Amino acid sequence: MGKIFEITNEIRKLRFFADEMTQQQLAEKAGVSRQTIVAVEGGKYNPSLELAFRIAQAFNVPIEEVFQYRVIEKKKKPDKKGEPS
Amino acid sequence: MTYQIARKITRMLSGTVLFIVYLVQVNNRYQSGVLALEELQSLAQLMLVFIGIGIGVTIAVEIIFHVLYSIGIAVKESVKVGSCNDEDRERNIEENIEKNIKQEMVEDEMAKLIDLKSLRVGYVTTGIGFFASLIILVLGYPVFLMVNILFGSFFLAGIMEEFAKIIYYLRGV
């Protein structure tokens, strides 16, 4: 069994509850480009701790409400006999 | 298309065009006898000229790109808001345009990380080019070819670096 570490975020949901805040507005508040916010929101880029705090501050919520750290157990592919190796 | 990707594509295209022009020039001069396999002085002169042209073209392309991109943002903003006569509103639109341009052109931590990772791709390409040029020399080909492969690998490294940046922006870091 392998382990995969994943960082997920709730930025889309938080933006929705913050009066439909646009990505551009969030980018301005966090001091980064819109492209970075798009990448972070889509899980394509894990922000630095500083940026993560700035994003959380933009929503006025603690950092753990924005970002979550998950450990996923990954099952290995079964071998030809049908038994997991 | 975002600012960063558009900028990288522009740089990649200008680098490719410059490289093609260089290859055509070398070929033409070689065919006409201006460049000889044994004589590297003229080739070195041509390379120096192209380094100068490369710097000039890069600066010119950057300026033209930024002017056109700024115009693009201004037009988009004007279309979004519509025409108006009110002076205050007009000033507001201008401020908005300026803010949008500044916001788009921000070089943040992700841009810096992508730059660093892409630089590695550039170094690897240059390294492969150097390795290939040494092999060419070992195999008994003229130094003329070796120097050209080395010079070409620098050009190619620049193009590959921009290409890697585009991929990183699209796929994520």
Side-chain angles (χ1 to χ4, degrees):
Chain A
M1 293 270 259
K3 281 181 182 175
I4 297 175
F5 303 98
E6 193 185 46
I7 295 173
T8 56
N9 68 74
E10 301 289 338
I11 294 177
R12 177 73 196 96
K13 201 170 84 184
L14 287 164
R15 281 200 302 113
F16 178 77
F17 287 118
D19 284 338
E20 278 283 348
M21 183 194 283
T22 62
Q23 288 174 329
Q24 180 81 34
Q25 285 167 334
L26 178 58
E28 274 171 42
K29 283 189 176 183
V32 289
S33 65
R34 194 181 63 85
Q35 182 140 26
T36 301
I37 295 296
V38 173
V40 172
E41 198 177 300
K44 288 180 178 176
Y45 172 62
N46 290 329
S48 67
L49 200 54
E50 190 192 344
L51 178 57
F53 271 111
R54 284 211 302 260
I55 291 171
Q57 208 172 39
F59 292 118
N60 273 326
V61 292
I63 195 165
E64 58 267 27
E65 271 188 42
V66 187
F67 296 99
Q68 295 82 39
Y69 183 67
R70 284 182 194 162
V71 181
I72 302 164
E73 296 284 337
K74 189 189 171 191
K75 282 182 186 170
K76 280 191 178 171
K77 281 181 187 171
D79 59 12
K80 283 178 185 173
K81 290 174 188 169
E83 292 167 4
S85 52
Chain B
M1 193 185 291
T2 59
Y3 162 76
Q4 295 290 356
I5 292 176
R7 191 173 164 207
K8 305 311 173 205
I9 289 174
T10 315
R11 274 191 190 182
M12 206 173 83
L13 287 179
S14 67
T16 310
V17 169
L18 209 65
F19 186 45
I20 291 168
V21 171
Y22 171 76
L23 289 179
V24 170
Q25 280 290 323
V26 168
N27 186 49
N28 285 350
R29 285 174 190 226
Y30 178 69
Q31 298 292 338
S32 63
V34 177
L35 288 178
L37 288 181
E38 303 79 29
E39 203 257 317
L40 293 174
Q41 200 179 359
S42 308
L43 184 67
Q45 276 175 357
L46 184 70
M47 282 176 177
L48 281 175
V49 167
F50 262 86
I51 289 171
I53 291 173
I55 293 167
V57 165
T58 307
I59 293 169
V61 165
E62 283 281 308
I63 291 169
I64 294 167
F65 171 76
H66 278 94
V67 169
L68 290 178
Y69 200 83
S70 303
I71 292 171
I73 290 176
V75 169
K76 221 191 299 181
E77 190 71 20
S78 305
V79 168
K80 205 165 76 181
V81 177
S83 60
C84 59
N85 297 322
D86 191 1
E87 246 180 59
D88 278 348
R89 239 185 108 194
E90 224 167 87
R91 205 180 309 132
N92 214 3
I93 292 167
E94 274 172 28
E95 276 170 14
N96 247 356
I97 290 168
E98 244 174 73
K99 204 173 80 181
N100 275 0
I101 291 169
K102 272 185 193 164
Q103 181 65 30
E104 282 283 317
M105 293 174 188
V106 162
E107 281 270 330
D108 54 18
E109 58 172 53
M110 192 174 105
K112 281 174 192 162
L113 184 65
I114 287 176
D115 280 354
L116 279 175
K117 285 197 166 190
S118 309
L119 203 64
R120 203 168 52 187
V121 175
Y123 282 135
V124 169
T125 312
T126 315
I128 291 170
F130 180 66
F131 189 68
S133 68
L134 288 180
I135 287 175
I136 287 289
L137 213 57
V138 168
L139 291 176
Y141 288 99
V143 182
F144 180 86
L145 192 62
M146 180 248 187
V147 175
N148 267 312
I149 288 176
L150 202 57
F151 192 61
S153 72
F154 286 120
F155 265 110
L156 209 63
I159 296 166
M160 287 298 289
E161 202 182 309
E162 298 306 324
F163 183 68
K165 280 177 192 170
I166 295 168
I167 298 294
Y168 279 129
Y169 272 111
L170 292 175
R171 280 198 191 163
V173 196

